[in-house]
């Protein structure tokens, strides 16, 4: 099966989660399928191997799952972006609008070294607020965002418009 069909077959729609009106894309069946999970990581690794990526900056919490496996595969460092109040050392933060609510995220000030080449990764691109705030954090601490990568893109929410000056890659689109 081609990778797009395999991923789509392994994403479960959960209506009205976490609140009414949201169709939640559940990636846990994809993670449970060892071939699908491996092929997702291998595909991302192939894409970024020529790019000499220093850091994978991943967004809490489902971004960590893909981000850490990708970092390992590329021999890159892993840098977490977390909800405010979770990182123990000195941080910089950003606030943004979500598809469902508002949020604040942060990164360690020493998480990315000046000039480092970064891929930002999350499981899903919705409105783009989280990814745009993450890119801004990476740049605040001196990194260069080479691309933002997602397993799933909800294209109808136009996240690409919010990330308009950035390179975006997604494996499947709805
Ligand atoms: P956004 O900032 O609107 O692009 O939202 C992206 C973040 O919210 C990602 O970390 C996603 O995991 C999560 N998210 C937003 N909408 C959904 C959805 N419909 N299904 C699953 N996760 C979602």
């Amino acid at each position: 099966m081609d990778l797009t069909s395999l991923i789509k077959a392994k994403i479960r729609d959960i209506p009205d989660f976490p609140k009414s009106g949201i169709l939640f894309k559940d990636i846990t069946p994809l993670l449970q399928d060892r071939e699908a999970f491996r092929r997702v990581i291998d595909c991302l690794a192939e894409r970024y191997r020529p790019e000499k990526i220093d850091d994978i900056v991943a967004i809490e919490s489902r971004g960590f799952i893909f981000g850490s496996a990708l970092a390992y595969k590329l021999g890159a460092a892993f840098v977490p972006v977390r909800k405010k109040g979770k990182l123990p050392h000195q941080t910089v933060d950003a606030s943004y609008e979500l598809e469902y609510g508002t949020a604040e995220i942060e990164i360690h000030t020493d998480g990315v070294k000046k000039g480092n080449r970064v891929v930002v990764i999350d499981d899903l691109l919705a409105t783009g607020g989280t990814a745009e705030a993450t890119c801004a954090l990476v740049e605040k601490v001196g990194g260069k965002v080479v691309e933002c990568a997602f397993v799933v893109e909800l294209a109808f929410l136009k996240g690409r418009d919010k990330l308009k000056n950035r390179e975006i890659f997604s494996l499947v689109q709805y």
Side-chain angles (χ1 to χ4, degrees), residues 23-25 62 98-100 122-124 126-130 154:
L23 183 63
F24 190 84
K25 296 287 185 190
R62 290 180 297 276
L98 271 178
E99 189 186 358
Y100 37 86
D122 202 356
D123 66 327
L124 182 141
T127 65
T130 316
L154 301 183

Side-chain angles (χ1 to χ4, degrees), residues 111-128:
V112 173
K113 292 193 177 56
K114 296 231 178 322
N116 271 12
R117 292 169 61 74
V118 167
V119 168
V120 166
I121 187 164
D122 202 356
D123 66 327
L124 182 141
L125 175 63
T127 65

Side-chain angles (χ1 to χ4, degrees), residues 66-149:
F66 299 102
S68 59
L70 178 60
Y72 176 81
K73 189 103 190 174
L74 288 176
F78 177 88
V79 182
V81 163
R82 299 205 62 185
K83 284 153 196 147
K84 197 170 167 61
K86 302 278 190 183
L87 288 172
H89 193 53
Q90 210 177 41
T91 58
V92 286
D93 59 35
S95 56
Y96 64 98
E97 304 279 317
L98 271 178
E99 189 186 358
Y100 37 86
T102 60
E104 275 181 291
I105 52 173
E106 55 189 12
I107 192 169
H108 276 148
T109 46
D110 63 358
V112 173
K113 292 193 177 56
K114 296 231 178 322
N116 271 12
R117 292 169 61 74
V118 167
V119 168
V120 166
I121 187 164
D122 202 356
D123 66 327
L124 182 141
L125 175 63
T127 65
T130 316
E132 182 52 35
T134 300
C135 291
L137 289 179
V138 168
E139 287 164 355
K140 248 192 221 175
V141 297
K144 174 171 177 7
V145 178
V146 173
E147 193 160 77
C148 298

